Amino acid sequence: MSQPHVEVAVQPVPLRTELLERYAALRRAALPALVMEAVLLATLLGVLDWRMLPQHWVHVVVVVGIAVGDTVVAVIQFLTQNKQRVDRLPPDVKLGNFTRAQLQELVTDACRRFGVSPRRIPVYITREKEMNAHAMHVGPSFLVQALRAVSINRANLHVLTPAELSYILGHELAHLLHYPAVWLDAHALHMASRAAACLVAWQWAFPRFGDFWGLSAALAAAAVHRFFTQRTSPAQSQMIELLCDDSGARLAGVNAAISCELKTGMMGELHHQLLFRALQLQKQGMDISYQDLYRIYLDVVPFGSFALEEVDARIQERARKSAQPSRELTLRGLLEFAGLSGDSRDAREQVREQLRVYEGLSRIPRISWPRNVHGQPTDTDLMALAQALEREPQALLFETPGELDALSSHPSHRRRVLYLWNNRGHITAKAFPPASNGPGRAAAA
């Protein structure tokens, strides 16, 4: 089978002023569309036959579910996620490098410097072993305060310093307060207009063609509505991500921000290498599904840094114990053949494609720099790294798919590091002032 073409997509690193102008232009361009959507909502509500709705309330519930189902799923996932709110952690708990008191102090400081009460945006710690964080915003925040939140994976607490964790907090708060995706800013309007469009489409089709076509019309209306209201291009997403990096660096300092990006990249590379080795076991003839291999990987990998060879050996040992001793006819084999257990054909092909990408990554040259997940780079180190990145644009900073940067919603660590370094003067000049207890929102720029 031919190898996929894998190469680094070289993209220019923008200036801070350029990003701010592009984001402002994006918001200005969205305003007429939001006005048109509000007019559409009013029109749909006027067209709707309200007398018909109580007579077919079951259908109405299903149609509204079609319209807002993705939001309901997001809310359920958030509410059922294994997480703990920082201000409700046990007083004597220590997670990685941080006590509850230290975490609360960092959260309070970050929120106050952003000009918002810590009670307005709760911060959660999730039991995830990969370094990441998320900003959650579902519905109008003044009505659903608990669904405007920041979630930080516990893995961050085992690797980062307080300044680096402040950078993460600043980045996620910026998603909520300074640089939200434009369509998210009008989430309540989108939900209302989509529900109205689905109800009108169902109301037109149901009396004429029956249940099936009525619900089909509602599904089609929801799909068309989402196409026009949830369109954020990769370029727009990357612009917003870099601006949120900018806010995080204004909070924590440029060096801490870059150090955090480098540690996140190093840990991401380590996890990808481990997962690649685990998934290769099936390719090497072990009778175990990719699904089971992934479960073992999640169970064995620790929260913080680890020795690759040691954890890989533990995964192989667990996989050998879980694997079938032979390929004789078994109940499991029959279920897998019927698609009721193990890997589906689509899932297997997706994993194999990902393995081919990993193999392709190993053939791309890498930037040579001193890697130390526990160290703190100096100005000299960062300058040397930035010069190497500029000098070798086709080389990888980290051996992960995200470093290819092609059509991704998130910029590569290479691009993030260069943005922060190249704009460090402007970012430092716009640093957030020290926290105060007074009211007022910190300026985005």
Side-chain angles (χ1 to χ4, degrees):
M1 183 178 292
S2 61
Q3 295 290 343
H5 183 63
V6 178
E7 65 177 3
V8 178
V10 181
Q11 297 192 54
V13 178
L15 295 174
R16 184 175 190 272
T17 52
E18 177 189 345
L19 284 187
L20 291 170
E21 290 170 0
R22 283 167 51 192
Y23 184 75
L26 180 64
R27 293 190 67 84
R28 287 194 300 269
L31 183 59
L34 294 177
V35 172
M36 289 176 60
E37 187 177 357
V39 172
L40 173 65
L41 173 59
T43 303
L44 291 169
L45 293 177
V47 169
L48 202 59
D49 183 357
W50 293 90
R51 294 170 301 178
M52 181 181 173
L53 301 185
Q55 301 169 14
H56 303 279
W57 65 270
V58 174
H59 292 80
V60 171
V61 170
V62 172
V63 170
V64 172
I66 289 172
V68 301
D70 52 348
T71 300
V72 173
V73 169
V75 170
I76 292 173
Q77 289 177 337
F78 172 75
L79 293 176
T80 58
Q81 188 180 29
N82 189 356
K83 63 186 184 301
Q84 284 187 293
R85 189 163 157 167
V86 166
D87 58 0
R88 295 174 185 170
L89 288 168
D92 57 346
V93 74
K94 184 172 185 181
L95 299 175
N97 304 324
F98 296 88
T99 63
R100 170 189 160 170
Q102 290 173 312
L103 290 172
Q104 273 195 277
E105 183 180 353
L106 288 172
V107 170
T108 301
D109 177 74
C111 287
R112 286 181 174 166
R113 291 174 71 186
F114 267 79
V116 64
S117 167
R119 293 188 296 273
R120 293 292 305 278
I121 303 180
V123 177
Y124 295 89
I125 306 300
T126 65
R127 284 186 59 81
E128 300 292 336
K129 296 181 177 181
E130 294 184 357
M131 291 181 66
N132 207 342
H134 304 278
M136 179 74 171
H137 188 177
V138 176
S141 57
F142 62 89
L143 292 178
V144 198
Q145 179 181 317
L147 299 182
R148 191 185 190 205
V150 169
S151 296
I152 296 177
N153 290 3
R154 179 174 163 180
N156 294 289
L157 309 184
H158 291 255
V159 177
L160 301 180
T161 65
E164 292 160 355
L165 188 59
S166 288
Y167 165 70
I168 296 287
L169 285 166
H171 175 103
E172 300 306 330
L173 288 172
H175 273 299
L176 298 174
L177 301 172
H178 290 172
Y179 307 110
V182 174
W183 75 267
L184 267 178
D185 225 15
H187 196 261
L189 173 62
H190 296 328
M191 287 193 296
S193 61
R194 190 186 310 142
C198 290
L199 284 170
V200 168
W202 165 79
Q203 203 169 72
W204 177 85
F206 171 65
R208 293 170 175 81
F209 308 109
D211 286 348
F212 176 77
W213 290 109
L215 294 178
S216 297
L219 284 167
V224 171
H225 187 280
R226 287 191 178 94
F227 178 78
F228 284 105
T229 60
Q230 295 187 7
R231 296 181 68 187
T232 302
S233 70
Q236 292 170 349
S237 294
Q238 291 203 15
M239 170 187 67
I240 291 171
E241 286 296 322
L242 289 175
L243 284 172
C244 291
D245 289 347
D246 185 289
S247 287
R250 289 170 58 201
L251 184 73
V254 172
N255 282 23
I258 295 177
S259 178
C260 179
E261 289 295 338
L262 294 176
K263 288 182 179 180
T264 303
M266 283 186 278
M267 289 302 298
E269 183 178 67
L270 196 58
H271 277 264
H272 275 91
Q273 289 173 346
L274 183 63
L275 183 58
F276 174 70
R277 291 189 182 192
L279 295 177
Q280 285 279 70
L281 293 175
Q282 189 190 95
K283 189 176 178 181
Q284 294 166 6
M286 188 175 290
D287 187 14
I288 187 170
S289 69
Y290 287 131
Q291 193 177 75
D292 288 342
L293 285 170
Y294 187 64
R295 287 199 193 100
I296 293 171
Y297 157 79
L298 290 178
D299 187 44
V300 172
V301 69
F303 282 105
S305 183
F306 56 87
L308 180 62
E309 299 298 334
E310 177 184 334
V311 179
D312 180 40
R314 290 168 57 194
I315 288 178
Q316 290 193 42
E317 181 182 359
R318 284 277 299 274
R320 279 192 294 269
K321 292 179 180 178
S322 300
Q324 291 288 331
S326 70
R327 291 190 176 271
E328 295 176 357
L329 186 62
T330 62
L331 177 59
R332 175 184 169 184
L334 287 171
L335 291 173
E336 289 184 356
F337 181 77
L340 302 176
S341 177
D343 302 319
S344 69
R345 291 182 181 178
D346 287 344
R348 284 197 297 270
E349 186 51 44
Q350 288 175 8
V351 171
R352 287 166 185 162
E353 177 63 25
Q354 198 62 49
L355 289 174
R356 289 193 287 270
V357 171
Y358 290 161
E359 290 169 356
L361 286 170
S362 65
R363 295 192 294 272
I364 300 177
R366 297 176 63 184
I367 297 290
S368 176
W369 62 285
R371 296 162 186 257
N372 180 6
V373 75
H374 300 295
Q376 298 297 311
T378 64
D379 283 347
T380 303
D381 296 331
L382 295 179
M383 181 178 293
L385 176 59
Q387 291 172 347
L389 292 172
E390 297 279 15
R391 189 171 55 248
E392 302 177 65
Q394 293 287 353
L396 288 172
L397 179 57
F398 301 108
E399 200 171 289
T400 60
E403 289 303 291
L404 300 177
D405 211 22
L407 300 178
S408 172
S409 61
H410 286 63
S412 63
H413 291 291
R414 159 198 283 277
R415 199 160 183 243
R416 291 178 187 266
V417 167
L418 282 176
Y419 172 81
L420 292 167
W421 181 254
N422 292 351
N423 292 279
R424 62 192 183 279
H426 294 291
I427 293 172
T428 302
K430 291 289 186 178
F432 287 107
S436 68
N437 295 323
R441 171 70 58 85

